[in-house]
Amino acid sequence: MSLTLEQLVEAVGPATPYSSISITAEMRPTGPEGTKVAPPSYPPSANRDTPYVIDRRWIGGEERQVVLLDSQQSQGNRCELALRDACDDGLLDLPMFVLTTDVVTDAGTRTVRLTSLDFPHRYADAYLRDTELDGVRFDKSPIGKALRLAEPREARVLYEREPYSIVYGAWDSHRKGRQAKFPRVYDSTIIGFDPIVGHRVGGRLDPLNLTGAVQAGTDGDWAFVAEGEKKKQGERLSEIGHGNALDSGGAHGHVSITGARKLTTIHLAALAGIRFGIDVPSDALTAGRAALVALALLGDRLAFARPSVFLRSGCELSTESELAVLERPDGSGDSFELDSTGSIKLFEEAIAHAANHGLAMASDRLEVAPLPGLVDAISHAYVKAQGDG
């Protein structure tokens, strides 16, 4: 059964029988049995002897060891990227601030573009703060001032212009004074079961088996030195990409798992704390919340409703089965189906329903111009990456 707008409105209404919306996907590493996966790695800590996050959870009444394959933040970012791509492909019209600037390097001019769906801190991001809108510093513009005053119970401006900040969470931590926090409504992670951490060896074989050493010059030039005394660090051909290079075998070599699971929750209780002003009637409030849930489902379906999901190099997962449920407090629920096409249709119905109740979500893109200091910082990042600075 496909999820309907009527069910969505009921789910977020004042008399809702549901506590949350969940999507559980059973997954496996793409490839033959025994294929390892690459979890995200983190700096060492006192309570971890691997770069991976491994802990224990209750699964099906049993304590099992699991490894984190994709975090809450990463899952949210994947949804935002999918939404941005859908807009660029003409499938959606969502409100966005768009920052565009040209970077000039010796290799030519590169246009850099960032949108609301790229900013790490969403509506509160420093990229947005350090721009001008219609020639006015963003924070001093009418929209900027309104955004600075937003809070969970007065979130209408975010609904209209930055709904992603409500769905994926935001914290105005880069500005002095009020630092409003919006809790994450969409919450998703992917875990792997029963991880066995492996070891990795590797290397590179030079087709000509070049040997010798390097004497560094200027501007990236170098001189060849024939074999002689033992080469020191900084003098090896392998360090500039020539010659054979063998791995010492000390690196962690990904993990072997028995399976994986995507655990997604849309928190209706957190959404119940979102309001759009004291003068917004109950039916409009419910319609707006339904549109936000539809946006959360839309991002998830665009990003993950597919046969396989690529997380990073060495970590692709195939989806074996999926269960989406409107959950009741006792753990029972009503299952539904929703693919990417259906999620677009549901979202369009939901925002039209909210607009009919006086809550209109914008669909245009507002161009913002980066301040000179930000332009210089962006340019430096590209020039440095090119090796010119």
Side-chain angles (χ1 to χ4, degrees):
M1 178 185 70
S2 297
L3 184 64
T4 66
L5 177 60
E6 290 72 22
Q7 288 177 299
L8 207 57
V9 171
E10 180 189 20
V12 299
T16 179
Y18 304 113
S19 58
S20 67
I21 298 174
S22 70
I23 302 174
T24 305
E26 302 300 334
M27 314 177 89
R28 66 171 183 84
T30 300
E33 183 179 7
T35 296
K36 295 196 292 186
V37 293
S41 58
Y42 299 89
S45 69
N47 59 349
R48 280 192 291 110
D49 58 1
T50 81
Y52 312 133
V53 177
I54 295 176
D55 61 9
R56 306 190 72 84
R57 297 192 186 189
W58 290 106
I59 306 290
E62 297 181 359
E63 184 181 353
R64 295 178 67 177
Q65 187 163 268
V66 302
V67 60
L68 180 68
L69 296 181
D70 215 36
S71 67
Q72 296 167 316
Q73 296 88 343
S74 178
Q75 290 272 285
N77 292 155
R78 295 182 197 282
C79 292
E80 290 174 299
L81 177 60
L83 289 169
R84 188 198 68 188
D85 288 347
C87 289
D88 289 343
D89 292 341
L91 301 176
L92 292 171
D93 289 314
L94 294 173
M96 273 191 274
F97 294 105
V98 180
L99 181 160
T100 305
T101 187
D102 288 335
V103 173
V104 180
T105 71
D106 289 344
T109 300
R110 166 74 180 270
T111 298
V112 179
R113 172 180 174 262
L114 296 173
T115 74
S116 294
L117 291 163
D118 299 294
F119 299 145
H121 289 85
R122 304 183 176 101
Y123 91 98
D125 198 75
Y127 275 109
L128 196 54
R129 177 200 65 198
D130 294 331
T131 65
E132 291 181 338
L133 177 62
D134 295 329
V136 179
R137 284 289 294 262
F138 184 83
D139 279 0
K140 296 184 180 299
S141 69
I143 291 177
K145 290 179 179 179
L147 288 173
R148 289 297 321 281
L149 292 174
E151 57 188 34
R153 299 183 66 83
E154 294 282 350
R156 181 165 186 155
V157 65
L158 287 185
Y159 176 88
E160 294 172 346
R161 296 242 55 109
E162 280 283 313
Y164 332 105
S165 297
I166 302 175
V167 171
Y168 302 113
W171 176 22
D172 190 4
S173 62
H174 289 287
R175 295 168 173 84
K176 296 179 179 179
R178 297 177 68 257
Q179 294 188 333
K181 293 183 180 181
F182 289 84
R184 184 184 291 112
V185 172
Y186 174 87
D187 186 356
S188 186
T189 57
I190 299 179
I191 57 174
F193 297 128
D194 313 311
I196 300 174
V197 178
H199 297 282
R200 181 178 62 192
V201 293
R204 180 190 67 248
L205 294 180
D206 189 317
L208 298 181
N209 191 23
L210 297 181
T211 61
V214 171
Q215 181 177 338
T218 59
D219 295 329
D221 293 332
W222 56 276
F224 173 74
V225 179
E227 288 285 5
E229 61 183 42
K230 185 176 180 181
K231 296 180 286 296
K232 301 176 183 178
Q233 186 173 357
E235 298 176 351
R236 302 182 183 99
L237 275 171
S238 60
E239 293 180 65
I240 62 169
H242 293 295
N244 294 333
L246 298 179
D247 194 320
S248 65
H252 290 282
H254 305 168
V255 300
S256 178
I257 57 176
T258 58
R261 182 175 294 174
K262 178 175 178 286
L263 302 166
T264 301
T265 303
I266 296 176
H267 295 282
L268 300 183
L271 188 62
I274 299 297
R275 304 183 71 87
F276 310 111
I278 59 174
D279 58 341
V280 175
S282 176
D283 56 350
L285 178 60
T286 299
R289 289 172 177 167
L292 291 171
V293 173
L295 178 60
L297 289 168
L298 174 61
D300 183 273
R301 299 295 75 200
L302 290 173
F304 301 111
R306 56 185 64 199
S308 61
V309 177
F310 180 82
L311 298 180
R312 64 191 64 84
S313 179
C315 193
E316 181 177 327
L317 301 173
S318 295
T319 302
E320 296 181 310
S321 63
E322 192 175 67
L323 179 64
V325 179
L326 291 160
E327 290 197 349
R328 294 186 175 87
D330 63 359
S332 65
D334 298 325
S335 62
F336 63 89
E337 296 179 357
L338 190 66
D339 60 15
S340 57
T341 301
S343 68
I344 293 175
K345 181 176 181 292
L346 181 63
F347 174 70
E348 290 174 343
E349 291 175 350
I351 59 173
H353 177 66
N356 289 336
H357 285 80
L359 278 177
M361 185 180 294
S363 61
D364 58 335
R365 303 184 180 193
L366 297 182
E367 296 284 342
V368 293
L371 295 173
L374 181 56
V375 173
D376 290 343
I378 295 172
S379 297
H380 177 72
Y382 275 84
V383 170
K384 184 176 180 181
Q386 192 185 25
D388 295 341

